[in-house]
Amino acid sequence: MIRVIVNYGMPADSAAFDTHYTEVHAPLTRAMPHLKGFEVSRGAVTSSDESAPVYATAILSYANRSDLEASMASPEGQAAVKDLGTFATGGVTIVTIDAEELI
């Protein structure tokens, strides 16, 4: 399983971030092809790096890397990526992992 972990930095306006994320960005993300799972944090996010606070985290899951690549290359994927610049004023860190369940 391929997982894309998206950490959003502290936005300039958290209310505007929340509204845009719920009303615009989440629907764009859900429309991406091949997406097997889409999780978002609720409430405070705790990070071990106090110098880079995290406001919100999203986790996207794909069956394999080719599905991820096709999803990101799709018009829906491109729209979701382009949308990041319209609301993620605190910056975004994206980590992609090939996850193996151990338990």
Side-chain angles (χ1 to χ4, degrees), residues 5-57:
I5 303 161
V6 183
N7 287 321
Y8 296 93
M10 301 304 285
D13 180 342
S14 59
F17 177 100
D18 293 345
T19 298
H20 186 93
Y21 195 90
T22 300
E23 296 178 4
V24 178
H25 195 71
L28 287 172
T29 302
R30 280 193 299 271
M32 293 170 65
H34 309 292
L35 191 62
K36 296 292 183 193
F38 177 33
E39 303 169 65
V40 296
S41 62
R42 292 289 176 223
V45 176
T46 303
S47 171
S48 63
D49 184 356
E50 292 180 14
S51 69
V54 175
Y55 180 73
T57 297

Side-chain angles (χ1 to χ4, degrees), residues 70-90:
S71 183
M72 296 305 292
S74 71
E76 296 87 351
Q78 292 297 302
V81 170
K82 183 178 180 182
D83 185 55
L84 290 171
T86 66
F87 76 98
T89 57

